[in-house]
Amino acid sequence: MHEMGIVLHLADTLDQAAKENHITKYGSVTLSVGEVSGIMTDYFEECWDYFKGRHPLLKDSKLKLETIKAITFCSNCERNYETVKYGKTCPYCGSGETWLITGNECLIKEVEAETDDGEEGVVEQEADNLV
């Protein structure tokens, strides 16, 4: 049940961004979630819906999830391949000397928010890996 922990961390991160940017309300939060991050997106959305009702800044917000494809690099033949399709063994040379290069992260990609001056817009801030 680490999804609720990630939601709580996300809320803390958004609270900090709200303080720094004078945000009074979030309209949407877009997360990029890796295919092999271990996050069960359906359960994550349920946790988000439960939590946002109890958090004033997020009360009316919408969660948007995007998938980051899992890609593995083979140090033997120096090629990349789809992790989910082929696993740890390189499909090109059969080597097990492989390393996941992307697909296990959970990042805040974008938020739409309202500020205390009534302005709406997208808050841009460096992505925060939540896992």
Side-chain angles (χ1 to χ4, degrees), residues 11-12 14-15 50-60:
D12 287 344
L14 294 171
D15 284 344
Y50 172 80
F51 181 78
K52 78 175 187 177
R54 289 147 183 81
H55 196 280
L57 289 174
L58 300 173
K59 184 180 171 193
D60 299 318

Side-chain angles (χ1 to χ4, degrees), residues 23-78:
I23 293 170
T24 57
K25 178 182 177 181
Y26 283 102
S28 70
V29 177
T30 304
L31 297 182
S32 297
V33 179
E35 276 185 310
V36 294
S37 65
I39 295 173
M40 297 173 57
T41 55
D42 290 345
Y43 186 59
F44 188 85
E45 289 180 88
E46 288 177 18
C47 291
W48 174 265
D49 289 340
Y50 172 80
F51 181 78
K52 78 175 187 177
R54 289 147 183 81
H55 196 280
L57 289 174
L58 300 173
K59 184 180 171 193
D60 299 318
S61 65
K62 179 179 180 184
L63 178 65
K64 300 175 185 177
L65 299 176
E66 297 178 353
T67 301
I68 299 172
K69 198 141 195 73
I71 302 295
T72 296
F73 172 76
C74 175
S75 58
N76 188 50
C77 69
E78 298 185 349

Side-chain angles (χ1 to χ4, degrees), residues 69-94:
K69 198 141 195 73
I71 302 295
T72 296
F73 172 76
C74 175
S75 58
N76 188 50
C77 69
E78 298 185 349
R79 294 177 77 176
N80 295 341
Y81 64 89
E82 295 179 37
T83 307
V84 172
K85 188 172 183 180
Y86 297 105
K88 187 168 171 51
T89 304
C90 177
Y92 301 109
C93 71

Side-chain angles (χ1 to χ4, degrees), residues 94-111:
S95 172
E97 296 297 317
T98 58
W99 312 98
L100 184 68
I101 56 175
T102 188
N104 67 341
E105 51 281 83
C106 177
L107 305 168
I108 300 171
K109 180 179 178 186
E110 180 179 88
V111 297

